[in-house]
Amino acid sequence: MTDFEPVHGILDVSDEQSIYWEQWGNPDGLPALFIHGGPGGTLGKSGYRHRFDLDRTRVIGFEQRGCGRSKPHASVADTSLSSNTLERLIDDIERLRESTRIDTWILNGVSWGSTLALAYAQAHPERVRGIVLFAVTTTSQDEIRWITEGVGKIFPEAWERLASYAENNVTGYKRGSRRLIEAYRQLMNSEDMKIRNEASKEWALWEDTHVSIGTDGFVRDARWDNEAFRLAFVRLTTHYWSIVATDESEILKRMNRIQHIPATLIHGRRDISSPAATAWKLHRLWPNSTLIIDEGDGHGGASMVEHWTAANARLSTES
């Protein structure tokens, strides 16, 4: 592989926000954008770049407003999330495209990033050459209700702990009377940082639990040891899952806008927290999509990563 120098920078966007971005691979190659998960995840060690042929591809990743190296950081007590909307995130991507002087690009989205990739593509279909989605979500009300409450039928002990913390710390919350996601959103905006910190730890424990099937079993994610990461992740997750989700996914209603765009949807059969039904519904509405259900993996896994790499290789050859 040719040794291309990585590039990185900070882009000022709207609402006094700035987002971190980076570029890997051939600066004259086929442009591609990676959209991380979460909400509130980061680019980590930039491992996503290994899913592309960097001799042929110009790969750009960015950290969404409020997390990672973007500022202001959602872990800070007085950071407002009023401008953290799906529409603003779409605008951030478009401003990034314009600033990097890219005409059209391939999109890659992982988990929550697949929701954002779809929303951006539907807003700007003329800018998208192809799409690869990994651990597919559309952030519908049904999906959020399942991942925060329904999965408790599979992990009753862990969900009991999650719900009990909310009942003991949110005035007026009783399971069944209000949505649990709303209770945790309230906790993560408490003026008491001790409450925020404790709630974020409970949520992190739940996250590690519901993704454990299809992996090596329950494994503690080392990222939670970073308090700033944990606070931002949980605060942004509870925020977006409260404001974005609708009774029927808006994304599914707008699939006619991107039916012509080639896509690969990669999902694990054993993904308990995000069942394959979402990927299946999306595929049925998308004639130009290929659905790959990996029978052995859950919400990610080595086999799914192989499919991801292969899908990008196919798109770069066809584009």
Side-chain angles (χ1 to χ4, degrees):
M1 184 186 79
T2 308
D3 193 15
F4 299 107
E5 285 292 323
V7 178
H8 62 88
I10 298 292
L11 176 66
D12 291 333
V13 290
S14 61
D15 313 303
E16 299 183 342
Q17 301 265 345
S18 61
I19 59 172
Y20 170 85
W21 65 274
E22 60 187 32
Q23 175 181 295
W24 300 87
N26 186 345
D28 297 317
L30 176 67
L33 177 71
F34 171 74
I35 307 176
H36 67 70
T42 69
L43 296 180
K45 297 181 179 179
S46 305
Y48 66 91
R49 71 187 189 276
H50 301 305
R51 310 283 71 82
F52 300 86
D53 179 350
L54 296 182
D55 280 337
R56 304 180 59 184
T57 315
R58 176 189 180 190
V59 183
I60 292 175
F62 75 105
E63 290 176 326
Q64 296 158 32
R65 54 173 65 196
C67 60
R69 286 153 284 191
S70 298
K71 302 293 182 182
H73 204 262
S75 66
V76 178
D78 60 356
T79 296
S80 171
L81 299 186
S82 61
S83 69
N84 286 71
T85 66
L86 187 61
E87 292 73 24
R88 287 288 199 275
L89 294 178
I90 292 169
D91 290 344
D92 292 348
I93 295 174
E94 185 62 359
R95 186 166 296 195
L96 179 59
R97 183 194 64 78
E98 292 170 348
S99 72
T100 51
R101 299 182 180 180
I102 289 171
D103 183 41
T104 59
W105 47 10
I106 289 171
L107 303 181
N108 275 210
V110 172
S111 192
W112 155 257
S114 62
T115 293
L116 185 48
L118 288 163
Y120 172 81
Q122 290 175 349
H124 301 281
E126 73 284 358
R127 299 302 181 186
V128 182
R129 306 174 68 140
I131 302 175
V132 178
L133 304 182
F134 181 100
V136 182
T137 68
T138 62
T139 314
S140 68
Q141 193 74 264
D142 283 347
E143 289 170 77
I144 301 307
R145 189 177 295 112
W146 171 258
I147 199 172
T148 57
E149 302 188 32
V151 181
K153 296 177 181 179
I154 300 170
F155 302 104
E157 311 96 319
W159 193 82
E160 170 69 25
R161 174 169 175 160
L162 185 74
S164 293
Y165 183 84
E167 286 181 326
N168 292 332
N169 291 279
V170 177
T171 302
Y173 172 74
K174 293 292 181 185
R175 66 192 76 186
S177 64
R178 287 174 54 194
R179 296 173 60 211
L180 183 62
I181 189 67
E182 292 286 357
Y184 268 87
R185 182 188 183 191
Q186 184 174 332
L187 288 166
M188 292 309 301
N189 286 285
S190 170
E191 293 182 0
D192 186 341
M193 288 304 293
K194 181 181 177 182
I195 289 290
R196 289 197 198 190
N197 197 36
E198 289 177 351
S200 73
K201 290 179 179 178
E202 294 298 327
W203 188 273
L205 182 62
W206 173 247
E207 286 269 351
D208 287 339
T209 301
H210 69 66
V211 300
S212 62
I213 294 179
T215 62
D216 295 325
F218 180 86
V219 177
R220 200 80 180 108
D221 190 331
R223 296 180 302 171
W224 302 130
D225 293 334
N226 183 322
E227 184 176 296
F229 169 83
R230 188 181 67 250
L231 287 168
F233 184 101
V234 181
R235 191 173 179 217
L236 288 168
T237 294
T238 55
H239 171 77
Y240 283 114
W241 284 5
S242 294
I243 68 168
V244 172
T246 55
D247 287 338
E248 182 180 348
S249 173
E250 293 298 320
I251 284 174
L252 295 181
K253 293 178 182 178
R254 296 192 294 261
M255 284 307 298
N256 62 304
R257 300 182 184 183
I258 60 172
Q259 285 186 341
H260 62 288
I261 298 175
T264 301
L265 317 179
I266 304 164
H267 206 85
R269 178 74 72 193
R270 301 175 71 190
D271 191 339
I272 297 299
S273 53
S274 300
T278 295
W280 172 245
K281 289 178 186 176
L282 198 62
H283 171 59
R284 293 186 70 187
L285 294 170
W286 202 341
N288 213 13
S289 69
T290 298
L291 175 62
I292 299 173
I293 299 290
D294 190 290
E295 298 294 338
D297 281 347
H299 199 67
S303 181
M304 287 174 64
V305 168
E306 291 178 6
H307 290 303
W308 179 9
T309 307
N312 278 322
R314 287 192 298 272
L315 268 180
S316 64
T317 299
E318 295 166 0
S319 296

